Amino acid sequence: MRLLMIRHAEPDYDIDSLTEKGWREALYLAERLEHTDIDKCYVSTLGRARDTASLTLARKQMQAEECEWLKEFPTQIVRPDRGYKTTTWDFLPQDWKDVREYYDKDRWASTDLMKEGEVAEEYRRVTKAFDQVLETHGYARDGNLYRAKRPNRDTIAFFCHFGVQCVLLSHLIGASPMVMWHGFCAAPSSVTTVMTEERREGTASFRITGFGDISHLYTKGEEPSFAARFCETFDGDERHD
């Protein structure tokens, strides 16, 4: 089975939709996916994800199942340098890089900051819902692996958000989402591909074969959006925080 995890196009957060550039990105994405065999689509309930998906769905004459758990990962923590609540995945590097727990797939949510934000509970809720979907498509979670109950070569698309995408990927590959959140960046409208591997009959695992692909933008001469990134050098004009 192949999973396509698609981040929404460039967002206009004020209206929970897309910018003018974001609509172009969504169009180029739709042109790319129009001839891709997709068996089922799931989409976040937030407008920027639904709007991104809408152009692809229209071209493919498909409908998507809306999933509340696919919306952006909602937990908040009191970031050490701020003193007030903000998104869980936006730490300054110097505030988490030396904390061993954050690298551990089983202990990353055990720090006082994460406990106060009830982050582990939300992580379990989201990944449980994700596993329920995977089981309907033939793959049942069994410890850190999956039982291939109905092995298949279907393609399932998820239109969602960067933060929750990293949560799902971390769950599939057995990694701390802190490492995913801070070590990877998926540009708006990018496509991440995950494949099952069933090297022994009945036992499957998931493997990322492509992360954050934006070839559909490059072929149109469209520069990728800077959204989700921070300044390359401190003296730059891009966002620092």
PDB file of all heavy atoms in Angstrom, residues 3 5 69-70 124-137 139 141 146 156 158 165 167-169 171-172 206:
ATOM      1  N   LEU A   3       0.933   5.387   0.796  1.00  0.00           N
ATOM      2  CA  LEU A   3       0.303   6.530   1.429  1.00  0.00           C
ATOM      3  C   LEU A   3       0.886   7.808   0.857  1.00  0.00           C
ATOM      4  O   LEU A   3       2.118   7.931   0.744  1.00  0.00           O
ATOM      5  CB  LEU A   3       0.531   6.514   2.943  1.00  0.00           C
ATOM      6  CG  LEU A   3       0.216   5.222   3.697  1.00  0.00           C
ATOM      7  CD1 LEU A   3       0.486   5.405   5.191  1.00  0.00           C
ATOM      8  CD2 LEU A   3      -1.227   4.784   3.468  1.00  0.00           C
ATOM      9  N   MET A   5       0.990  11.692   1.791  1.00  0.00           N
ATOM     10  CA  MET A   5       0.690  12.699   2.808  1.00  0.00           C
ATOM     11  C   MET A   5       0.976  14.061   2.201  1.00  0.00           C
ATOM     12  O   MET A   5       2.126  14.381   1.876  1.00  0.00           O
ATOM     13  CB  MET A   5       1.506  12.447   4.064  1.00  0.00           C
ATOM     14  CG  MET A   5       1.139  11.145   4.741  1.00  0.00           C
ATOM     15  SD  MET A   5       1.850  10.994   6.378  1.00  0.00           S
ATOM     16  CE  MET A   5       1.205   9.377   6.844  1.00  0.00           C
ATOM     17  N   TRP A  69      -9.363  14.373  13.282  1.00  0.00           N
ATOM     18  CA  TRP A  69      -8.042  14.077  13.824  1.00  0.00           C
ATOM     19  C   TRP A  69      -6.913  14.437  12.854  1.00  0.00           C
ATOM     20  O   TRP A  69      -5.745  14.482  13.258  1.00  0.00           O
ATOM     21  CB  TRP A  69      -7.944  12.599  14.216  1.00  0.00           C
ATOM     22  CG  TRP A  69      -8.236  11.633  13.106  1.00  0.00           C
ATOM     23  CD1 TRP A  69      -9.445  11.102  12.771  1.00  0.00           C
ATOM     24  CD2 TRP A  69      -7.304  11.107  12.147  1.00  0.00           C
ATOM     25  NE1 TRP A  69      -9.330  10.274  11.685  1.00  0.00           N
ATOM     26  CE2 TRP A  69      -8.023  10.255  11.279  1.00  0.00           C
ATOM     27  CE3 TRP A  69      -5.936  11.265  11.957  1.00  0.00           C
ATOM     28  CZ2 TRP A  69      -7.415   9.573  10.230  1.00  0.00           C
ATOM     29  CZ3 TRP A  69      -5.319  10.586  10.901  1.00  0.00           C
ATOM     30  CH2 TRP A  69      -6.062   9.752  10.062  1.00  0.00           C
ATOM     31  N   LEU A  70      -7.244  14.720  11.593  1.00  0.00           N
ATOM     32  CA  LEU A  70      -6.229  15.127  10.621  1.00  0.00           C
ATOM     33  C   LEU A  70      -5.947  16.625  10.656  1.00  0.00           C
ATOM     34  O   LEU A  70      -5.038  17.090   9.970  1.00  0.00           O
ATOM     35  CB  LEU A  70      -6.667  14.747   9.197  1.00  0.00           C
ATOM     36  CG  LEU A  70      -6.216  13.414   8.631  1.00  0.00           C
ATOM     37  CD1 LEU A  70      -6.719  13.266   7.209  1.00  0.00           C
ATOM     38  CD2 LEU A  70      -4.702  13.252   8.687  1.00  0.00           C
ATOM     39  N   ARG A 124      -1.621   9.981  21.285  1.00  0.00           N
ATOM     40  CA  ARG A 124      -2.240   8.654  21.261  1.00  0.00           C
ATOM     41  C   ARG A 124      -3.596   8.699  20.566  1.00  0.00           C
ATOM     42  O   ARG A 124      -3.956   7.774  19.826  1.00  0.00           O
ATOM     43  CB  ARG A 124      -2.382   8.111  22.690  1.00  0.00           C
ATOM     44  CG  ARG A 124      -1.078   7.632  23.299  1.00  0.00           C
ATOM     45  CD  ARG A 124      -1.315   6.832  24.576  1.00  0.00           C
ATOM     46  NE  ARG A 124      -1.807   7.666  25.658  1.00  0.00           N
ATOM     47  CZ  ARG A 124      -1.037   8.282  26.547  1.00  0.00           C
ATOM     48  NH1 ARG A 124       0.272   8.172  26.460  1.00  0.00           N
ATOM     49  NH2 ARG A 124      -1.572   9.002  27.519  1.00  0.00           N
ATOM     50  N   ARG A 125      -4.362   9.756  20.799  1.00  0.00           N
ATOM     51  CA  ARG A 125      -5.679   9.868  20.170  1.00  0.00           C
ATOM     52  C   ARG A 125      -5.554   9.928  18.646  1.00  0.00           C
ATOM     53  O   ARG A 125      -6.264   9.231  17.922  1.00  0.00           O
ATOM     54  CB  ARG A 125      -6.396  11.120  20.674  1.00  0.00           C
ATOM     55  CG  ARG A 125      -7.819  11.262  20.153  1.00  0.00           C
ATOM     56  CD  ARG A 125      -8.446  12.576  20.580  1.00  0.00           C
ATOM     57  NE  ARG A 125      -7.945  13.701  19.804  1.00  0.00           N
ATOM     58  CZ  ARG A 125      -8.463  14.087  18.625  1.00  0.00           C
ATOM     59  NH1 ARG A 125      -9.497  13.428  18.110  1.00  0.00           N
ATOM     60  NH2 ARG A 125      -7.974  15.128  17.997  1.00  0.00           N
ATOM     61  N   VAL A 126      -4.640  10.753  18.161  1.00  0.00           N
ATOM     62  CA  VAL A 126      -4.472  10.924  16.718  1.00  0.00           C
ATOM     63  C   VAL A 126      -3.941   9.651  16.073  1.00  0.00           C
ATOM     64  O   VAL A 126      -4.457   9.191  15.045  1.00  0.00           O
ATOM     65  CB  VAL A 126      -3.538  12.118  16.427  1.00  0.00           C
ATOM     66  CG1 VAL A 126      -3.136  12.153  14.957  1.00  0.00           C
ATOM     67  CG2 VAL A 126      -4.210  13.424  16.824  1.00  0.00           C
ATOM     68  N   THR A 127      -2.930   9.057  16.665  1.00  0.00           N
ATOM     69  CA  THR A 127      -2.338   7.862  16.059  1.00  0.00           C
ATOM     70  C   THR A 127      -3.283   6.658  16.144  1.00  0.00           C
ATOM     71  O   THR A 127      -3.261   5.794  15.259  1.00  0.00           O
ATOM     72  CB  THR A 127      -0.981   7.523  16.701  1.00  0.00           C
ATOM     73  OG1 THR A 127      -1.125   7.405  18.126  1.00  0.00           O
ATOM     74  CG2 THR A 127       0.038   8.621  16.403  1.00  0.00           C
ATOM     75  N   LYS A 128      -4.108   6.607  17.178  1.00  0.00           N
ATOM     76  CA  LYS A 128      -5.110   5.533  17.251  1.00  0.00           C
ATOM     77  C   LYS A 128      -6.115   5.665  16.110  1.00  0.00           C
ATOM     78  O   LYS A 128      -6.468   4.666  15.454  1.00  0.00           O
ATOM     79  CB  LYS A 128      -5.836   5.574  18.601  1.00  0.00           C
ATOM     80  CG  LYS A 128      -6.897   4.490  18.756  1.00  0.00           C
ATOM     81  CD  LYS A 128      -7.593   4.574  20.113  1.00  0.00           C
ATOM     82  CE  LYS A 128      -8.666   3.516  20.254  1.00  0.00           C
ATOM     83  NZ  LYS A 128      -9.360   3.604  21.578  1.00  0.00           N
ATOM     84  N   ALA A 129      -6.579   6.885  15.850  1.00  0.00           N
ATOM     85  CA  ALA A 129      -7.509   7.102  14.745  1.00  0.00           C
ATOM     86  C   ALA A 129      -6.862   6.759  13.410  1.00  0.00           C
ATOM     87  O   ALA A 129      -7.496   6.178  12.518  1.00  0.00           O
ATOM     88  CB  ALA A 129      -7.989   8.554  14.746  1.00  0.00           C
ATOM     89  N   PHE A 130      -5.604   7.115  13.270  1.00  0.00           N
ATOM     90  CA  PHE A 130      -4.848   6.794  12.054  1.00  0.00           C
ATOM     91  C   PHE A 130      -4.753   5.287  11.862  1.00  0.00           C
ATOM     92  O   PHE A 130      -5.009   4.755  10.762  1.00  0.00           O
ATOM     93  CB  PHE A 130      -3.466   7.417  12.156  1.00  0.00           C
ATOM     94  CG  PHE A 130      -2.574   7.225  10.964  1.00  0.00           C
ATOM     95  CD1 PHE A 130      -3.032   7.435   9.672  1.00  0.00           C
ATOM     96  CD2 PHE A 130      -1.244   6.858  11.145  1.00  0.00           C
ATOM     97  CE1 PHE A 130      -2.194   7.287   8.576  1.00  0.00           C
ATOM     98  CE2 PHE A 130      -0.404   6.704  10.057  1.00  0.00           C
ATOM     99  CZ  PHE A 130      -0.878   6.912   8.768  1.00  0.00           C
ATOM    100  N   ASP A 131      -4.423   4.573  12.925  1.00  0.00           N
ATOM    101  CA  ASP A 131      -4.323   3.121  12.838  1.00  0.00           C
ATOM    102  C   ASP A 131      -5.667   2.479  12.491  1.00  0.00           C
ATOM    103  O   ASP A 131      -5.720   1.464  11.787  1.00  0.00           O
ATOM    104  CB  ASP A 131      -3.800   2.541  14.155  1.00  0.00           C
ATOM    105  CG  ASP A 131      -2.286   2.629  14.273  1.00  0.00           C
ATOM    106  OD1 ASP A 131      -1.610   2.722  13.221  1.00  0.00           O
ATOM    107  OD2 ASP A 131      -1.787   2.605  15.413  1.00  0.00           O
ATOM    108  N   GLN A 132      -6.749   3.049  12.982  1.00  0.00           N
ATOM    109  CA  GLN A 132      -8.063   2.516  12.645  1.00  0.00           C
ATOM    110  C   GLN A 132      -8.329   2.636  11.143  1.00  0.00           C
ATOM    111  O   GLN A 132      -8.907   1.733  10.530  1.00  0.00           O
ATOM    112  CB  GLN A 132      -9.134   3.244  13.454  1.00  0.00           C
ATOM    113  CG  GLN A 132      -9.140   2.867  14.928  1.00  0.00           C
ATOM    114  CD  GLN A 132     -10.070   3.734  15.760  1.00  0.00           C
ATOM    115  OE1 GLN A 132     -10.497   4.805  15.331  1.00  0.00           O
ATOM    116  NE2 GLN A 132     -10.394   3.277  16.962  1.00  0.00           N
ATOM    117  N   VAL A 133      -7.897   3.747  10.554  1.00  0.00           N
ATOM    118  CA  VAL A 133      -8.039   3.912   9.107  1.00  0.00           C
ATOM    119  C   VAL A 133      -7.170   2.899   8.369  1.00  0.00           C
ATOM    120  O   VAL A 133      -7.621   2.245   7.415  1.00  0.00           O
ATOM    121  CB  VAL A 133      -7.670   5.351   8.690  1.00  0.00           C
ATOM    122  CG1 VAL A 133      -7.494   5.448   7.171  1.00  0.00           C
ATOM    123  CG2 VAL A 133      -8.749   6.318   9.144  1.00  0.00           C
ATOM    124  N   LEU A 134      -5.934   2.748   8.805  1.00  0.00           N
ATOM    125  CA  LEU A 134      -5.043   1.794   8.137  1.00  0.00           C
ATOM    126  C   LEU A 134      -5.598   0.373   8.207  1.00  0.00           C
ATOM    127  O   LEU A 134      -5.484  -0.399   7.245  1.00  0.00           O
ATOM    128  CB  LEU A 134      -3.646   1.844   8.760  1.00  0.00           C
ATOM    129  CG  LEU A 134      -2.865   3.144   8.583  1.00  0.00           C
ATOM    130  CD1 LEU A 134      -1.495   3.031   9.244  1.00  0.00           C
ATOM    131  CD2 LEU A 134      -2.707   3.504   7.105  1.00  0.00           C
ATOM    132  N   GLU A 135      -6.242   0.053   9.327  1.00  0.00           N
ATOM    133  CA  GLU A 135      -6.799  -1.299   9.449  1.00  0.00           C
ATOM    134  C   GLU A 135      -7.947  -1.503   8.465  1.00  0.00           C
ATOM    135  O   GLU A 135      -8.108  -2.603   7.925  1.00  0.00           O
ATOM    136  CB  GLU A 135      -7.262  -1.569  10.878  1.00  0.00           C
ATOM    137  CG  GLU A 135      -7.725  -2.996  11.080  1.00  0.00           C
ATOM    138  CD  GLU A 135      -7.754  -3.433  12.529  1.00  0.00           C
ATOM    139  OE1 GLU A 135      -7.537  -2.587  13.420  1.00  0.00           O
ATOM    140  OE2 GLU A 135      -8.010  -4.638  12.779  1.00  0.00           O
ATOM    141  N   THR A 136      -8.744  -0.468   8.223  1.00  0.00           N
ATOM    142  CA  THR A 136      -9.817  -0.616   7.241  1.00  0.00           C
ATOM    143  C   THR A 136      -9.259  -0.864   5.836  1.00  0.00           C
ATOM    144  O   THR A 136      -9.950  -1.402   4.972  1.00  0.00           O
ATOM    145  CB  THR A 136     -10.723   0.633   7.189  1.00  0.00           C
ATOM    146  OG1 THR A 136      -9.981   1.751   6.678  1.00  0.00           O
ATOM    147  CG2 THR A 136     -11.285   0.958   8.553  1.00  0.00           C
ATOM    148  N   HIS A 137      -8.000  -0.480   5.643  1.00  0.00           N
ATOM    149  CA  HIS A 137      -7.355  -0.700   4.347  1.00  0.00           C
ATOM    150  C   HIS A 137      -6.453  -1.945   4.348  1.00  0.00           C
ATOM    151  O   HIS A 137      -5.679  -2.149   3.405  1.00  0.00           O
ATOM    152  CB  HIS A 137      -6.554   0.534   3.946  1.00  0.00           C
ATOM    153  CG  HIS A 137      -7.421   1.706   3.598  1.00  0.00           C
ATOM    154  ND1 HIS A 137      -8.101   1.808   2.399  1.00  0.00           N
ATOM    155  CD2 HIS A 137      -7.747   2.814   4.313  1.00  0.00           C
ATOM    156  CE1 HIS A 137      -8.787   2.940   2.383  1.00  0.00           C
ATOM    157  NE2 HIS A 137      -8.594   3.560   3.525  1.00  0.00           N
ATOM    158  N   TYR A 139      -4.265  -3.162   7.014  1.00  0.00           N
ATOM    159  CA  TYR A 139      -3.043  -3.247   7.806  1.00  0.00           C
ATOM    160  C   TYR A 139      -3.344  -2.900   9.265  1.00  0.00           C
ATOM    161  O   TYR A 139      -3.728  -1.770   9.574  1.00  0.00           O
ATOM    162  CB  TYR A 139      -1.971  -2.320   7.237  1.00  0.00           C
ATOM    163  CG  TYR A 139      -1.502  -2.770   5.870  1.00  0.00           C
ATOM    164  CD1 TYR A 139      -2.203  -2.400   4.726  1.00  0.00           C
ATOM    165  CD2 TYR A 139      -0.405  -3.608   5.725  1.00  0.00           C
ATOM    166  CE1 TYR A 139      -1.809  -2.836   3.467  1.00  0.00           C
ATOM    167  CE2 TYR A 139       0.004  -4.049   4.474  1.00  0.00           C
ATOM    168  CZ  TYR A 139      -0.702  -3.659   3.350  1.00  0.00           C
ATOM    169  OH  TYR A 139      -0.307  -4.106   2.107  1.00  0.00           O
ATOM    170  N   ARG A 141      -2.241  -2.561  13.237  1.00  0.00           N
ATOM    171  CA  ARG A 141      -1.101  -2.324  14.119  1.00  0.00           C
ATOM    172  C   ARG A 141      -0.897  -3.511  15.052  1.00  0.00           C
ATOM    173  O   ARG A 141      -1.845  -4.023  15.658  1.00  0.00           O
ATOM    174  CB  ARG A 141      -1.324  -1.059  14.939  1.00  0.00           C
ATOM    175  CG  ARG A 141      -0.140  -0.639  15.808  1.00  0.00           C
ATOM    176  CD  ARG A 141       0.875   0.139  15.034  1.00  0.00           C
ATOM    177  NE  ARG A 141       1.950   0.637  15.889  1.00  0.00           N
ATOM    178  CZ  ARG A 141       2.883   1.494  15.477  1.00  0.00           C
ATOM    179  NH1 ARG A 141       2.857   1.974  14.224  1.00  0.00           N
ATOM    180  NH2 ARG A 141       3.828   1.897  16.290  1.00  0.00           N
ATOM    181  N   TYR A 146       2.977  -3.970  11.586  1.00  0.00           N
ATOM    182  CA  TYR A 146       1.581  -4.095  11.138  1.00  0.00           C
ATOM    183  C   TYR A 146       1.356  -5.490  10.578  1.00  0.00           C
ATOM    184  O   TYR A 146       2.233  -6.042   9.889  1.00  0.00           O
ATOM    185  CB  TYR A 146       1.260  -3.054  10.058  1.00  0.00           C
ATOM    186  CG  TYR A 146       1.145  -1.650  10.609  1.00  0.00           C
ATOM    187  CD1 TYR A 146       2.277  -0.882  10.845  1.00  0.00           C
ATOM    188  CD2 TYR A 146      -0.093  -1.118  10.935  1.00  0.00           C
ATOM    189  CE1 TYR A 146       2.184   0.394  11.376  1.00  0.00           C
ATOM    190  CE2 TYR A 146      -0.209   0.158  11.460  1.00  0.00           C
ATOM    191  CZ  TYR A 146       0.935   0.910  11.677  1.00  0.00           C
ATOM    192  OH  TYR A 146       0.843   2.173  12.208  1.00  0.00           O
ATOM    193  N   ILE A 156      -3.544   5.638  -0.919  1.00  0.00           N
ATOM    194  CA  ILE A 156      -4.419   6.392  -0.034  1.00  0.00           C
ATOM    195  C   ILE A 156      -3.808   7.775   0.170  1.00  0.00           C
ATOM    196  O   ILE A 156      -2.635   7.893   0.511  1.00  0.00           O
ATOM    197  CB  ILE A 156      -4.570   5.698   1.341  1.00  0.00           C
ATOM    198  CG1 ILE A 156      -4.844   4.192   1.167  1.00  0.00           C
ATOM    199  CG2 ILE A 156      -5.646   6.370   2.160  1.00  0.00           C
ATOM    200  CD1 ILE A 156      -6.079   3.869   0.389  1.00  0.00           C
ATOM    201  N   PHE A 158      -3.804  11.590   2.041  1.00  0.00           N
ATOM    202  CA  PHE A 158      -4.191  12.354   3.225  1.00  0.00           C
ATOM    203  C   PHE A 158      -3.817  13.816   2.984  1.00  0.00           C
ATOM    204  O   PHE A 158      -2.626  14.139   2.865  1.00  0.00           O
ATOM    205  CB  PHE A 158      -3.464  11.846   4.470  1.00  0.00           C
ATOM    206  CG  PHE A 158      -3.775  10.413   4.834  1.00  0.00           C
ATOM    207  CD1 PHE A 158      -3.047   9.372   4.258  1.00  0.00           C
ATOM    208  CD2 PHE A 158      -4.767  10.105   5.740  1.00  0.00           C
ATOM    209  CE1 PHE A 158      -3.317   8.049   4.585  1.00  0.00           C
ATOM    210  CE2 PHE A 158      -5.047   8.780   6.075  1.00  0.00           C
ATOM    211  CZ  PHE A 158      -4.323   7.751   5.491  1.00  0.00           C
ATOM    212  N   GLN A 165       1.263  15.752  10.124  1.00  0.00           N
ATOM    213  CA  GLN A 165       1.958  14.836   9.215  1.00  0.00           C
ATOM    214  C   GLN A 165       3.179  14.232   9.895  1.00  0.00           C
ATOM    215  O   GLN A 165       3.427  13.021   9.796  1.00  0.00           O
ATOM    216  CB  GLN A 165       2.387  15.583   7.959  1.00  0.00           C
ATOM    217  CG  GLN A 165       3.233  14.760   6.987  1.00  0.00           C
ATOM    218  CD  GLN A 165       3.645  15.568   5.758  1.00  0.00           C
ATOM    219  OE1 GLN A 165       2.852  16.319   5.213  1.00  0.00           O
ATOM    220  NE2 GLN A 165       4.874  15.428   5.339  1.00  0.00           N
ATOM    221  N   VAL A 167       3.568  13.818  13.072  1.00  0.00           N
ATOM    222  CA  VAL A 167       3.059  12.887  14.081  1.00  0.00           C
ATOM    223  C   VAL A 167       2.788  11.523  13.455  1.00  0.00           C
ATOM    224  O   VAL A 167       3.198  10.476  13.977  1.00  0.00           O
ATOM    225  CB  VAL A 167       1.779  13.456  14.731  1.00  0.00           C
ATOM    226  CG1 VAL A 167       1.021  12.372  15.503  1.00  0.00           C
ATOM    227  CG2 VAL A 167       2.119  14.609  15.650  1.00  0.00           C
ATOM    228  N   LEU A 168       2.115  11.522  12.311  1.00  0.00           N
ATOM    229  CA  LEU A 168       1.775  10.256  11.650  1.00  0.00           C
ATOM    230  C   LEU A 168       3.029   9.535  11.174  1.00  0.00           C
ATOM    231  O   LEU A 168       3.145   8.307  11.323  1.00  0.00           O
ATOM    232  CB  LEU A 168       0.830  10.520  10.483  1.00  0.00           C
ATOM    233  CG  LEU A 168      -0.477  11.248  10.826  1.00  0.00           C
ATOM    234  CD1 LEU A 168      -1.335  11.421   9.581  1.00  0.00           C
ATOM    235  CD2 LEU A 168      -1.251  10.519  11.920  1.00  0.00           C
ATOM    236  N   LEU A 169       3.959  10.272  10.604  1.00  0.00           N
ATOM    237  CA  LEU A 169       5.203   9.649  10.123  1.00  0.00           C
ATOM    238  C   LEU A 169       6.005   9.081  11.287  1.00  0.00           C
ATOM    239  O   LEU A 169       6.569   7.983  11.181  1.00  0.00           O
ATOM    240  CB  LEU A 169       6.036  10.670   9.353  1.00  0.00           C
ATOM    241  CG  LEU A 169       5.477  11.134   8.009  1.00  0.00           C
ATOM    242  CD1 LEU A 169       6.339  12.255   7.439  1.00  0.00           C
ATOM    243  CD2 LEU A 169       5.400   9.977   7.014  1.00  0.00           C
ATOM    244  N   HIS A 171       4.917   7.936  14.028  1.00  0.00           N
ATOM    245  CA  HIS A 171       4.228   6.723  14.480  1.00  0.00           C
ATOM    246  C   HIS A 171       4.530   5.552  13.550  1.00  0.00           C
ATOM    247  O   HIS A 171       4.750   4.422  14.008  1.00  0.00           O
ATOM    248  CB  HIS A 171       2.726   7.003  14.512  1.00  0.00           C
ATOM    249  CG  HIS A 171       1.896   5.857  14.985  1.00  0.00           C
ATOM    250  ND1 HIS A 171       2.000   5.312  16.246  1.00  0.00           N
ATOM    251  CD2 HIS A 171       0.916   5.144  14.359  1.00  0.00           C
ATOM    252  CE1 HIS A 171       1.133   4.330  16.383  1.00  0.00           C
ATOM    253  NE2 HIS A 171       0.464   4.202  15.252  1.00  0.00           N
ATOM    254  N   LEU A 172       4.585   5.798  12.267  1.00  0.00           N
ATOM    255  CA  LEU A 172       4.831   4.725  11.301  1.00  0.00           C
ATOM    256  C   LEU A 172       6.253   4.182  11.371  1.00  0.00           C
ATOM    257  O   LEU A 172       6.470   2.978  11.234  1.00  0.00           O
ATOM    258  CB  LEU A 172       4.546   5.220   9.881  1.00  0.00           C
ATOM    259  CG  LEU A 172       3.089   5.475   9.510  1.00  0.00           C
ATOM    260  CD1 LEU A 172       3.011   6.014   8.087  1.00  0.00           C
ATOM    261  CD2 LEU A 172       2.246   4.204   9.631  1.00  0.00           C
ATOM    262  N   PHE A 206       6.315   0.290   7.389  1.00  0.00           N
ATOM    263  CA  PHE A 206       6.186   1.423   6.476  1.00  0.00           C
ATOM    264  C   PHE A 206       7.539   2.112   6.309  1.00  0.00           C
ATOM    265  O   PHE A 206       8.289   2.258   7.271  1.00  0.00           O
ATOM    266  CB  PHE A 206       5.154   2.422   6.997  1.00  0.00           C
ATOM    267  CG  PHE A 206       3.739   1.943   6.853  1.00  0.00           C
ATOM    268  CD1 PHE A 206       3.158   1.129   7.818  1.00  0.00           C
ATOM    269  CD2 PHE A 206       2.972   2.302   5.748  1.00  0.00           C
ATOM    270  CE1 PHE A 206       1.850   0.690   7.692  1.00  0.00           C
ATOM    271  CE2 PHE A 206       1.660   1.866   5.619  1.00  0.00           C
ATOM    272  CZ  PHE A 206       1.097   1.056   6.593  1.00  0.00           C
TER     273      PHE A 206
END
